[in-house]
Amino acid sequence: MHPYENYEIVLAAVQEKGLKLRWAAAPLTADREIVLAAVQQDGWALQYAATPLKADREVVLAAVQTAGHALQYVAEPLNADREVVLAAVQKDGLALQNAAAPLRADH
């Protein structure tokens, strides 16, 4: 078994550096606990999460609270969520460019 297929190893790795999610085996990039740990450490890790987790509100909020620009990797319904966009913009004002059009117009 490759180390990045092992749950405990991957969890420890992403807790240390969230972007290590990039090398995790595909099933582990779909594991909510692993992805949540990764984005809490570094929101940019959201880009390596499985698609369904990019639509998970808690995961997305954790990501944009650590890296506002991670909003660019958020599934479409959540890039129109006012709370998600506000959290992203509070972290990085330029994240507004990745919000849904109606929210960009509200600025």
Side-chain angles (χ1 to χ4, degrees):
M1 175 183 282
H2 189 276
Y4 280 100
E5 294 174 350
N6 180 287
Y7 182 89
E8 289 81 17
I9 290 173
V10 171
L11 183 59
V14 300
Q15 286 172 332
E16 176 191 330
K17 183 166 178 70
L19 291 175
K20 289 183 179 180
L21 184 63
R22 175 182 191 168
W23 294 286
L28 296 179
T29 65
D31 183 276
R32 190 172 190 277
E33 184 179 2
I34 285 178
V35 172
L36 192 54
V39 300
Q40 286 172 335
Q41 200 285 319
D42 186 337
W44 285 105
L46 186 63
Q47 66 188 300
Y48 303 115
T51 301
L53 291 175
K54 293 176 182 179
D56 181 306
R57 195 165 192 279
E58 183 181 357
V59 170
V60 165
L61 271 171
V64 299
Q65 287 170 344
T66 61
H69 234 59
L71 188 62
Q72 67 187 298
Y73 302 112
V74 171
E76 216 167 86
L78 290 178
N79 73 349
D81 180 302
R82 193 170 297 278
E83 184 181 356
V84 169
V85 172
L86 182 59
V89 170
Q90 285 176 333
K91 190 67 179 177
D92 180 351
L94 294 176
L96 185 61
Q97 68 189 3
N98 295 304
L103 291 181
R104 286 195 312 264
D106 282 354
H107 79 280

